[in-house]
Amino acid sequence: MPLSKNRPPRKPRRDRLGSVDVQLVSASRLRFVFAILAVGLLGLMSRMAWLQVFRTSELQAKARAFQIQRIQPLGARRSIVDRTGRLVALDVQRFRLWAHPNNFRFPGDASSLLRKPDDVAHKLSALISKSKNELVELIGNRVSGIRLAEGLEPEVASEIQKLGISGLELESYLQRVYPQDDLFANVVGFLNDDRIPQAGLEQSLDKTLSRGKEPVRRLRLAMDGTPLPDDLAPGVFYRDDAQLQLTLDSRLQELSAKALTDAISKWNATRGVAIVMNVMNGELLTLASTPSYNPNRFWKYSPALYKEWSVQDLYEPGSTFKPINLALALQEGVIQPDGTVNDTGIINVGGWSLRNYDFGSNGVMNFAEVLQASSNIGMVKAMQNLDPSRYWELLHRLGLNSKPQTDLPGAVAGYLKPKKEFVNKEIEPAVASYGHGFSLTPLKLAQLHALIANGGYLVSPHITRGLKGGDLPLATAADKSAPLLRPEVTRIVRGWMESVVDTGSVVGFKKINGYRIGGKTGTADKLVNGQFGGGLKVCSFVANLPADNPRYVVLVVVDEPKGGDAFGSTVAAPVAKKIIEGLLVLEKIPPSN
């Protein structure tokens, strides 16, 4: 039966579940959808090709930047410790606090809310050493980049971070700290605010202490920040914990500094120094000088205090050089161990009248008595037996006019008259016999007395042992191949020095029971406007112990003490005794046999 043109369209058939049959989609619609998908796929493939072919290097660099952490070096310096491991200098982390008032907000504040400086200052004043008013005044009307504080310890910085105040910025930096304050300032020196070394070992050993140029380390990280083991450069986790170890003992240094300071105050002196040296290897256990300065507040002191005068300033040693001269005379055979001289109290040399310090005479004396009485006339007559040319050569051989080999910064050479002048003028070897007419540093004098104590070897005085935890060099030993004096000569002179202490001729140094100690005082007039007799003097005392088998030399020098009774025996010797008593305990030196 033919279909009627007016027949309504057939309704979609429903199955038993009531679902509608899918109607057929026209071919043109399918082709349109396919074309869209094809174009999209083609575009995606083109984009992938573009990224992989043309932007490979750029994307790899971005990926590495995200995956690899660059560890910048902090520029930390090595710590410095004394011979017992006690810290002398170290780097600590500190923080600077910056304020940006144009962004002051408290936690939970709306972005449109801006806090007043008073609100922030109120919270900060409880954590830093500034009042609320001080902080408000410091901020003023500025909107950013205001330094509120520096030198904040990590604990304080952590508390500030916990406040969560937007507009506060903490900047981390390293600060050099000297826990012993002024105790080692004379030799260690300091860094200024820009971490530039200005004096002492900090300056002379800058490269050693700064660890060289540390490379930037790169570390590949996983998504959670865990370091990945692959592609790790050798030593990426290495930490340089080496410390510069000194030969100085902070306990003995402190004791020496206190005894020296007390003497300076008592005698209204200008300055003083105390040295304790190991005579076998040149290690200095003490190098204390006063006045000093606090390297943590270096800007408050005169730059004149930054140098260590015991290695940079010269003085005439006076009678403390007499044992050295007698050793030279014995070495050359011009005097004998049992020889004598006649101290007449005055002698004329080259038109100059020379006298003893007390203007008295002592008659016939052996050489032990010459040292006990500190006889100038006895020394002049003893050294007149030595040819002046040979005498000069021996002083030159001792290194009087040479810079000593030492790690102490700024060490200078002594002064010895030119040989021609020394030989042709009779007065020159005469006054040199009792320690005048030439000059040296206290350090050099200690080195020469170590020569007497160790059997004739010239050792190099030094205050550093090397890097602890690194390549630690052995302490410099005596040069056994080049003795300058015969052992028997030094033994005889040590016996003469021991008699000085045993006979009680040193007023301020009474014998310590059970210990054999040799010593010699010195009181040298200073030149004032080119002339002696101006009342200025240098008082000193030098000792070696134990005298039967010396291990240490102790030297104390006090510059310009005031008072008519200021002598080496009254000013310097009591200081030396206090130091020696401490040394005996700290080094566990047993009594002599």
Side-chain angles (χ1 to χ4, degrees), residues 106-107 123-124 127 158-165 168:
F106 288 173
K123 290 183 175 292
L124 287 178
L127 298 176
S158 177
E159 292 299 318
I160 293 175
Q161 282 182 326
K162 290 178 182 179
L163 295 177
I165 301 176
L168 293 181

Side-chain angles (χ1 to χ4, degrees), residues 525-556:
D525 289 332
K526 295 183 68 174
L527 283 170
V528 179
N529 297 325
Q531 295 183 347
F532 291 104
L536 300 182
K537 61 184 75 173
V538 179
C539 296
S540 53
F541 181 79
V542 62
N544 60 69
L545 67 145
D548 51 332
N549 184 25
R551 293 171 54 187
Y552 302 102
V553 158
V554 178
L555 172 65
V556 174

Side-chain angles (χ1 to χ4, degrees), residues 190-212:
F190 64 95
L191 303 185
N192 65 13
D193 290 339
D194 296 322
R195 291 182 64 79
I196 299 175
Q198 298 296 304
L201 294 176
E202 292 278 24
Q203 187 174 51
S204 64
L205 298 180
D206 181 39
K207 290 184 178 180
T208 300
L209 291 170
S210 62
R211 304 175 180 173

Side-chain angles (χ1 to χ4, degrees), residues 90-97 149-157 170-178 195 296:
L90 73 156
D91 277 345
V92 295
Q93 187 182 31
R94 292 291 182 261
F95 292 85
R96 292 187 184 93
L97 178 61
E150 63 179 296
L152 300 178
E153 296 184 355
E155 295 79 10
V156 176
L170 287 165
E171 176 192 359
S172 174
Y173 68 97
L174 293 175
Q175 180 176 329
R176 197 67 164 172
V177 174
Y178 304 91
R195 291 182 64 79
N296 295 304

Side-chain angles (χ1 to χ4, degrees), residues 52 77 179 202 208 247 267 276 418 492 505 518 550 559 583:
Q52 293 186 4
R77 293 170 73 84
E202 292 278 24
T208 300
T247 64
W267 295 97
V276 178
I492 292 170
S505 59
D559 192 18
L583 178 65

